[in-house]
Amino acid sequence: MQTNTIGIVSAMAEELAALQAQLEHSHTVTLAGRQFHWGQLGGQSVCLVLCGIGKVAAASTATLLLGHFGVAGIVFTGVAGGLAEQVNIGDVVVANALLQHDMNAEPLFPRWEIPLTGIGRFVADAHWHQALWAATTHVLAEQPVRTLAGRSLSARAYAGLVISGDQFVASAHASSALRCDLPDALAVEMEGAALAQVCHDWGKPCAVLRTISDRADDDAAVDFPLFLREVAAVYARDIVLRFLWREAPKLVGNQG
Ligand code: SAH
């Protein structure tokens, strides 16, 4: 099956809720324990699905979207821990490359390389990345300040390396070790690089958008649920909608 539908994936319900609330003409298909919500959003045909947390959950979901349902490409929207010094809670990171920080088959293969592929960093599809970046910078220019727990946050947008692993990074020690090993990593999360690997296997584009919920440090477990409760889904909704309205037609044609 080939469609022009765009898969939109999040790990947790809070991350997808605001988009799901706007889905029109929807119907739901349940497969492999996941609910695939088909419908129209921002003038495009989309399929919204929660993958669950972690790399296997993301890979399994991406495989179903691409192999079973034949979507044209996948956008991941969710939260992440900020790693680079300048990346703060409330900022938005669009991945231009993704790496699995817990992959290590040394000394047989170089650190972080996916064995037998020769690839450590999955480079995001240039057109999809550029489109998501354009939507992000547009929305942040329109709404530069957000409020979280009574604090005003001026959100900035960053494009760069996002790293993934099956670990919630929640200590200064763990985050500084990652910063030391991978100094150009902007943010850490648990799904993006797995999704990127599956999309690479299928020769399909993906793009990953992450709002920063915590700093992956000793306060992460406190900051993370607060951010999820107060802003997570609403925050990225405008960017994804802008992407679907204004950018996606250039990528897959207009399905509205
Ligand atoms: N269910 C638990 C744990 C969530 S895991 C809870 O609700 O408390 C964190 C999720 O957010 C993952 O999907 C991951 O991609 C992202 N994330 C946010 N901050 C992260 C961090 N500091 N380290 C790793 N993943 C993080």
Side-chain angles (χ1 to χ4, degrees):
M1 191 196 357
Q2 284 293 324
T3 74
N4 288 335
T5 300
I6 295 176
I8 300 182
V9 180
S10 292
M12 292 171 293
E14 296 90 335
E15 295 171 320
L16 205 60
L19 280 173
Q20 207 171 329
Q22 304 215 355
L23 190 65
E24 296 174 334
H25 312 297
S26 66
H27 71 280
T28 299
V29 177
T30 302
L31 185 62
R34 289 164 174 80
Q35 295 193 315
F36 295 83
H37 305 285
W38 297 82
Q40 296 283 317
L41 199 59
Q44 288 294 326
S45 169
V46 296
C47 178
L48 307 185
V49 58
L50 289 178
C51 65
I53 294 170
K55 291 186 299 166
V56 174
S60 171
T61 307
T63 302
L64 291 171
L65 279 170
L66 295 166
H68 186 79
F69 294 117
V71 301
I74 299 176
V75 174
F76 191 102
T77 174
V79 295
L83 267 190
E85 298 297 344
Q86 72 275 18
V87 178
N88 289 312
I89 294 174
D91 290 342
V92 178
V93 173
V94 183
N96 64 16
L98 297 116
L99 169 147
Q100 295 172 30
H101 68 78
D102 55 356
M103 173 57 75
N104 187 354
E106 286 180 317
L108 303 178
F109 298 92
R111 182 124 188 236
W112 302 300
E113 189 171 298
I114 308 297
L116 305 175
T117 68
I119 301 172
R121 294 179 182 223
F122 291 91
V123 176
D125 178 89
H127 295 111
W128 283 55
H129 171 72
Q130 205 44 51
L132 196 54
W133 177 250
T136 301
T137 52
H138 179 91
V139 168
L140 289 195
E142 273 190 339
Q143 312 166 32
V145 179
R146 307 276 175 168
T147 308
L148 176 64
R151 273 191 301 155
S152 286
L153 303 170
S154 37
R156 281 157 303 178
Y158 295 97
L161 177 68
V162 170
I163 61 176
S164 314
D166 286 319
Q167 180 191 9
F168 183 65
V169 181
S171 74
H173 177 74
S175 55
S176 70
L178 288 173
R179 251 192 309 279
C180 185
D181 285 343
L182 294 159
D184 61 332
L186 296 181
V188 59
E189 36 85 313
M190 301 177 70
E191 297 85 17
L195 190 97
Q197 184 177 347
V198 174
C199 287
H200 176 268
D201 286 351
W202 285 88
K204 294 287 182 185
C206 72
V208 175
L209 172 75
R210 293 281 184 173
T211 42
I212 300 303
S213 54
D214 59 86
R215 280 280 311 162
D217 57 13
D218 299 315
D219 297 328
V222 177
D223 293 336
F224 174 79
L226 180 72
F227 188 87
L228 267 191
R229 238 186 3 255
E230 295 203 12
V231 276
V234 182
Y235 212 67
R237 175 195 59 197
D238 295 350
I239 294 171
V240 174
L241 284 178
R242 169 92 193 175
F243 170 84
L244 292 170
W245 269 119
R246 300 298 298 265
E247 306 294 335
K250 296 176 225 162
L251 301 170
V252 297
N254 197 323
Q255 297 298 297

